[in-house]
CSV table of all heavy atoms in Angstrom, one decimal:
chain,number,residue,atom,x,y,z
A,39,ASP,N,8.1,-6.1,14.7
A,39,ASP,CA,8.7,-7.3,14.3
A,39,ASP,C,7.5,-8.2,13.9
A,39,ASP,O,6.3,-7.7,13.9
A,39,ASP,CB,9.6,-7.9,15.4
A,39,ASP,CG,8.8,-8.3,16.7
A,39,ASP,OD1,7.5,-8.1,16.7
A,39,ASP,OD2,9.5,-8.9,17.6
A,40,ALA,N,7.7,-9.4,13.5
A,40,ALA,CA,6.6,-10.3,13.1
A,40,ALA,C,5.5,-10.4,14.1
A,40,ALA,O,4.3,-10.3,13.8
A,40,ALA,CB,7.2,-11.6,12.6
A,41,GLU,N,5.9,-10.5,15.4
A,41,GLU,CA,4.9,-10.7,16.4
A,41,GLU,C,4.0,-9.4,16.7
A,41,GLU,O,2.8,-9.4,16.8
A,41,GLU,CB,5.5,-11.1,17.7
A,41,GLU,CG,4.5,-11.2,18.9
A,41,GLU,CD,3.4,-12.3,18.7
A,41,GLU,OE1,3.6,-13.1,17.8
A,41,GLU,OE2,2.3,-12.2,19.3
A,42,ALA,N,4.8,-8.2,16.6
A,42,ALA,CA,4.0,-6.9,16.7
A,42,ALA,C,3.0,-6.7,15.5
A,42,ALA,O,1.9,-6.3,15.8
A,42,ALA,CB,5.0,-5.8,16.8
A,43,LEU,N,3.5,-7.2,14.4
A,43,LEU,CA,2.5,-7.1,13.2
A,43,LEU,C,1.4,-8.1,13.4
A,43,LEU,O,0.2,-7.6,13.1
A,43,LEU,CB,3.3,-7.4,12.0
A,43,LEU,CG,2.5,-7.3,10.6
A,43,LEU,CD1,1.7,-6.1,10.4
A,43,LEU,CD2,3.4,-7.6,9.5
A,44,ARG,N,1.6,-9.2,13.9
A,44,ARG,CA,0.6,-10.2,14.1
A,44,ARG,C,-0.4,-9.7,15.1
A,44,ARG,O,-1.6,-9.8,14.8
A,44,ARG,CB,1.2,-11.5,14.6
A,44,ARG,CG,0.3,-12.6,14.8
A,44,ARG,CD,1.0,-13.9,15.3
A,44,ARG,NE,2.0,-14.4,14.2
A,44,ARG,CZ,3.3,-14.3,14.2
A,44,ARG,NH1,3.9,-13.8,15.3
A,44,ARG,NH2,4.0,-14.8,13.2
A,45,ARG,N,0.0,-9.1,16.1
A,45,ARG,CA,-0.9,-8.5,17.2
A,45,ARG,C,-1.6,-7.4,16.6
A,45,ARG,O,-2.8,-7.2,16.9
A,45,ARG,CB,-0.1,-8.0,18.4
A,45,ARG,CG,0.6,-9.2,19.2
A,45,ARG,CD,1.4,-8.6,20.4
A,45,ARG,NE,2.1,-9.6,21.0
A,45,ARG,CZ,2.8,-9.5,22.2
A,45,ARG,NH1,2.8,-8.3,22.8
A,45,ARG,NH2,3.4,-10.4,22.7
A,46,THR,N,-1.0,-6.5,15.8
A,46,THR,CA,-1.7,-5.4,15.1
A,46,THR,C,-2.8,-5.9,14.2
A,46,THR,O,-3.9,-5.3,14.2
A,46,THR,CB,-0.7,-4.5,14.3
A,46,THR,OG1,0.3,-4.0,15.3
A,46,THR,CG2,-1.4,-3.3,13.5
A,47,LEU,N,-2.5,-6.9,13.4
A,47,LEU,CA,-3.5,-7.4,12.4
A,47,LEU,C,-4.6,-8.1,13.1
A,47,LEU,O,-5.8,-8.3,12.5
A,47,LEU,CB,-2.8,-8.3,11.5
A,47,LEU,CG,-1.7,-7.7,10.4
A,47,LEU,CD1,-1.0,-8.7,9.7
A,47,LEU,CD2,-2.4,-6.6,9.6
A,48,THR,N,-4.4,-8.7,14.3
A,48,THR,CA,-5.6,-9.4,14.9
A,48,THR,C,-6.2,-8.8,16.1
A,48,THR,O,-7.2,-9.3,16.5
A,48,THR,CB,-4.9,-10.8,15.4
A,48,THR,OG1,-3.9,-10.5,16.3
A,48,THR,CG2,-4.3,-11.6,14.2
A,49,SER,N,-5.7,-7.6,16.6
A,49,SER,CA,-6.3,-7.1,17.8
A,49,SER,C,-7.1,-5.8,17.5
A,49,SER,O,-7.9,-5.4,18.4
A,49,SER,CB,-5.3,-6.7,18.8
A,49,SER,OG,-4.4,-5.6,18.4
A,50,GLY,N,-6.9,-5.1,16.5
A,50,GLY,CA,-7.6,-3.9,16.2
A,50,GLY,C,-6.9,-2.7,16.8
A,50,GLY,O,-7.4,-1.6,16.7
A,51,ARG,N,-5.8,-3.0,17.5
A,51,ARG,CA,-4.9,-1.9,18.1
A,51,ARG,C,-3.5,-2.1,17.6
A,51,ARG,O,-3.0,-3.2,17.3
A,51,ARG,CB,-4.9,-2.0,19.6
A,51,ARG,CG,-6.2,-1.8,20.3
A,51,ARG,CD,-6.6,-0.3,20.6
A,51,ARG,NE,-5.5,0.3,21.5
A,51,ARG,CZ,-5.4,0.2,22.8
A,51,ARG,NH1,-6.3,-0.5,23.5
A,51,ARG,NH2,-4.5,0.9,23.4
Side-chain angles (χ1 to χ4, degrees):
D39 65 3
E41 179 59 25
L43 179 55
R44 186 176 293 106
R45 292 179 188 189
T46 297
L47 294 173
T48 60
S49 72
R51 296 271 307 276

